[in-house]
Amino acid sequence: VDRMDIAGSSANAAPSTSSSTGPTNAAGTDASTEASSVATSFGEAAGSSMSPSGSAAVADASTSTSTRQTPGSSSTVAPTTKMAAVPSQHSIVVNPVQTKNPVLRQITAVPWEFGDIIPDFILGKTACALFLSVRYHLLHPQYIHERLKRLGKLFELRVLLVLADTTDCQKVLNELAMISIRADLTMMVSSSYEEAGHYLETYKAYENKPPDSIMERVDSNFNARAVECLTSVKGINKTDAATLINTFKTMYRIMSASKEELLRCPGLGPVKAQRLYDVFHKPFKNPKSQEPSAS
């Protein structure tokens, strides 16, 4: 009975934290405080469980929410640079549209994963790629324009990876090259899915590498550089190059030498001398053949 009276009096008492006295009101205050703290802790735990990768996932939460809207719907968030955030720093992110693309089977050197993205492939924080085959472009010429409109100005490095899967595609490639220039794209042409996959792997593998890692190593020694230059001519080997250097001393004298002077070099026959002379004296571009005038 005493317990019931105490419970009734505590229930009828007006809740006031400033005037509460006695063990009963203190217990009620402690209970409510504890319940509030438990609820707060549970809410924080539930919120943190929504991000499987911790703070990194929280940073990309706005990206996931905005890109998972149905394309073309009124609720889609306007594209921003944050939408292009990479879920995984070590993987190529693939648009689900490319699920049946055979190029995915050729990407083996680096990991890849699907993600809700605007381009076909995200190759890094500032790099993306659009995939287009020549055959598909001939059937759907407006497709690339629609994709570029959705892409907007996102990403610094924008690659148009073209698969040349038709026999005569030079005209189409010229057209795509003009589109790439206007849209600030870097066009890469591949002749097979394997080559296209290798391009994607290379872009991802060299994402954080310095520029000199892909630059050619140039030897500072004159003889070594001269030998490399001369051996690029068909038929000229390193022995021939060394003989030319020892005879003429400078590249200018080699380039200015006549066929008779080149023939005087030991080991340099008439065929090699003619080829070397033609390299330095004939124009790089063949002159257009003159059409016979109509009589």
Side-chain angles (χ1 to χ4, degrees):
V1 175
D2 295 338
R3 292 179 180 176
M4 292 178 64
D5 292 338
I6 294 172
S9 61
S10 63
N12 295 328
S16 175
T17 57
S18 60
S19 61
S20 61
T21 59
T24 303
N25 291 336
T29 303
D30 295 340
S32 61
T33 303
E34 182 179 359
S36 177
S37 63
V38 170
T40 303
S41 302
F42 178 78
E44 292 176 353
S48 62
S49 64
M50 298 298 291
S51 302
S53 58
S55 59
V58 174
D60 295 336
S62 60
T63 300
S64 305
T65 304
S66 59
T67 56
R68 286 177 183 173
Q69 302 294 336
T70 303
S73 64
S74 58
S75 60
T76 303
V77 179
T80 61
T81 53
K82 292 184 178 180
M83 290 181 63
V86 184
S88 177
Q89 296 182 355
H90 306 288
S91 302
I92 295 177
V93 186
V94 183
N95 193 318
V97 176
Q98 302 295 324
T99 302
K100 296 183 179 181
N101 193 333
V103 75
L104 297 180
R105 294 196 296 267
Q106 308 300 330
I107 304 176
T108 57
V110 295
W112 58 270
E113 60 184 75
F114 289 109
D116 296 330
I117 58 175
I118 294 178
D120 293 329
F121 303 93
I122 289 183
L123 309 173
K125 294 181 180 180
T126 60
C128 73
L130 294 175
F131 184 88
L132 181 66
S133 69
V134 172
R135 189 183 303 275
Y136 189 86
H137 178 69
L138 292 174
L139 296 175
H140 308 278
Q142 292 300 321
Y143 170 79
I144 183 61
H145 298 285
E146 295 172 358
R147 295 301 306 276
L148 290 175
K149 185 177 180 180
R150 289 190 58 200
L151 184 62
K153 297 296 184 180
L154 298 179
F155 298 93
E156 296 178 7
L157 175 61
R158 302 136 58 88
V159 178
L160 178 60
L161 184 56
V162 181
L163 176 65
D165 53 353
T166 58
T167 53
D168 186 13
C169 58
Q170 188 60 47
K171 184 178 180 180
V172 180
L173 293 178
N174 292 339
E175 175 190 349
L176 293 176
M178 294 302 299
I179 294 175
S180 300
I181 293 174
R182 296 190 186 101
D184 193 20
L185 300 174
T186 300
M187 190 175 81
M188 301 292 294
V189 182
S190 60
S191 58
S192 63
Y193 287 105
E194 182 180 3
E195 184 180 1
H198 179 66
Y199 284 150
L200 295 173
E201 291 175 344
T202 304
Y203 272 112
K204 184 60 182 179
Y206 285 87
E207 175 189 1
N208 299 317
K209 298 290 182 65
D212 55 358
S213 62
I214 59 176
M215 294 175 63
E216 183 182 3
R217 300 293 188 271
V218 180
D219 201 326
S220 59
N221 187 4
F222 165 75
N223 286 345
R225 295 173 63 181
V227 168
E228 183 180 2
C229 175
L230 293 172
T231 52
S232 63
V233 180
K234 184 178 179 181
I236 304 297
N237 53 39
K238 291 184 178 181
T239 303
D240 299 331
T243 302
L244 289 168
I245 295 171
N246 292 330
T247 303
F248 294 97
K249 305 303 180 183
T250 64
M251 282 294 299
Y252 177 78
R253 291 180 179 177
I254 296 175
M255 296 171 62
S256 304
S258 62
K259 287 183 287 186
E260 291 75 14
E261 291 175 330
L262 293 174
L263 283 171
R264 296 194 190 102
C265 293
L268 207 66
V271 177
K272 291 182 180 181
Q274 184 65 48
R275 285 177 179 171
L276 191 60
Y277 180 84
D278 292 342
V279 167
F280 295 134
H281 293 83
K282 283 190 175 182
F284 289 103
K285 185 176 180 181
N286 292 329
K288 295 182 180 180
S289 57
Q290 297 181 356
E291 297 181 357
S293 57
S295 57

